[in-house]
Short mmCIF file of all heavy atoms in Angstrom, two decimals:
data_model
loop_
_atom_site.label_atom_id
_atom_site.label_comp_id
_atom_site.label_asym_id
_atom_site.label_seq_id
_atom_site.Cartn_x
_atom_site.Cartn_y
_atom_site.Cartn_z
N CYS T 377 -104.54 118.94 52.24
CA CYS T 377 -103.02 119.13 52.04
C CYS T 377 -102.20 118.17 52.79
O CYS T 377 -101.21 118.49 53.53
CB CYS T 377 -102.64 120.53 52.53
SG CYS T 377 -103.66 121.92 51.81
N TYR T 1071 -89.56 117.24 54.91
CA TYR T 1071 -90.82 117.06 54.30
C TYR T 1071 -91.72 118.36 54.46
O TYR T 1071 -92.46 118.66 53.66
CB TYR T 1071 -91.54 115.86 55.00
CG TYR T 1071 -92.86 115.58 54.31
CD1 TYR T 1071 -92.87 114.94 53.03
CD2 TYR T 1071 -94.20 115.93 54.79
CE1 TYR T 1071 -94.02 114.51 52.47
CE2 TYR T 1071 -95.37 115.67 54.09
CZ TYR T 1071 -95.28 114.93 52.98
OH TYR T 1071 -96.51 114.61 52.39
N ALA T 1072 -91.47 119.12 55.48
CA ALA T 1072 -92.16 120.35 55.74
C ALA T 1072 -91.87 121.37 54.67
O ALA T 1072 -92.52 122.31 54.34
CB ALA T 1072 -91.95 120.98 57.17
N LYS T 1073 -90.69 121.33 53.94
CA LYS T 1073 -90.24 122.14 52.96
C LYS T 1073 -90.76 121.74 51.52
O LYS T 1073 -90.64 122.52 50.61
CB LYS T 1073 -88.78 122.27 52.92
CG LYS T 1073 -88.11 122.86 54.08
CD LYS T 1073 -86.60 122.63 54.05
CE LYS T 1073 -85.97 123.21 55.37
NZ LYS T 1073 -84.44 123.02 55.46
N THR T 1074 -91.31 120.61 51.42
CA THR T 1074 -91.94 120.18 50.15
C THR T 1074 -93.12 120.93 49.80
O THR T 1074 -93.82 121.45 50.81
CB THR T 1074 -92.28 118.62 50.08
OG1 THR T 1074 -93.24 118.38 51.13
CG2 THR T 1074 -91.01 117.77 50.30
N PRO T 1075 -93.68 120.99 48.55
CA PRO T 1075 -94.93 121.85 48.26
C PRO T 1075 -96.04 121.35 49.16
O PRO T 1075 -96.84 122.28 49.67
CB PRO T 1075 -95.15 121.51 46.80
CG PRO T 1075 -93.76 121.17 46.25
CD PRO T 1075 -93.08 120.42 47.36
N LEU T 1076 -96.36 120.11 49.34
CA LEU T 1076 -97.49 119.57 50.10
C LEU T 1076 -97.29 119.88 51.61
O LEU T 1076 -98.22 120.24 52.28
CB LEU T 1076 -97.82 118.10 49.86
CG LEU T 1076 -99.03 117.62 50.32
CD1 LEU T 1076 -100.29 118.32 49.54
CD2 LEU T 1076 -99.19 116.20 50.18
N GLY T 1077 -96.08 119.79 52.04
CA GLY T 1077 -95.71 120.11 53.42
C GLY T 1077 -95.89 121.55 53.78
O GLY T 1077 -96.50 122.01 54.82
N LYS T 1078 -95.63 122.49 52.86
CA LYS T 1078 -95.78 123.94 53.03
C LYS T 1078 -97.35 124.19 53.08
O LYS T 1078 -97.93 124.99 53.88
CB LYS T 1078 -95.24 124.70 51.91
CG LYS T 1078 -93.70 124.76 51.91
CD LYS T 1078 -93.17 125.50 50.69
CE LYS T 1078 -91.64 125.54 50.78
NZ LYS T 1078 -91.06 126.23 49.57
N LYS T 1079 -98.12 123.60 52.06
CA LYS T 1079 -99.61 123.72 52.19
C LYS T 1079 -100.17 123.25 53.41
O LYS T 1079 -101.08 123.84 53.99
CB LYS T 1079 -100.20 122.93 50.94
CG LYS T 1079 -99.96 123.59 49.65
CD LYS T 1079 -100.63 122.80 48.58
CE LYS T 1079 -100.43 123.26 47.16
NZ LYS T 1079 -100.93 122.47 46.07
N ARG T 1080 -99.65 122.17 53.97
CA ARG T 1080 -100.20 121.63 55.33
C ARG T 1080 -99.90 122.53 56.38
O ARG T 1080 -100.69 122.76 57.27
CB ARG T 1080 -99.55 120.18 55.48
CG ARG T 1080 -100.06 119.59 56.80
CD ARG T 1080 -101.51 119.26 56.67
NE ARG T 1080 -102.09 119.02 57.95
CZ ARG T 1080 -103.40 118.96 58.23
NH1 ARG T 1080 -104.28 119.30 57.30
NH2 ARG T 1080 -103.76 118.79 59.42
N ALA T 1081 -98.73 123.13 56.38
CA ALA T 1081 -98.31 124.14 57.40
C ALA T 1081 -99.31 125.34 57.35
O ALA T 1081 -99.76 125.82 58.38
CB ALA T 1081 -96.91 124.55 57.22
N MET T 1082 -99.66 125.84 56.16
CA MET T 1082 -100.53 126.96 55.96
C MET T 1082 -101.84 126.63 56.40
O MET T 1082 -102.59 127.33 57.05
CB MET T 1082 -100.58 127.45 54.49
CG MET T 1082 -99.30 128.13 54.07
SD MET T 1082 -99.46 128.99 52.55
CE MET T 1082 -99.54 127.61 51.42
#
Side-chain angles (χ1 to χ4, degrees):
C377 305
Y1071 188 75
K1073 294 174 186 175
T1074 62
L1076 196 64
K1078 289 178 182 177
K1079 287 180 184 178
R1080 181 65 198 161
M1082 287 190 290

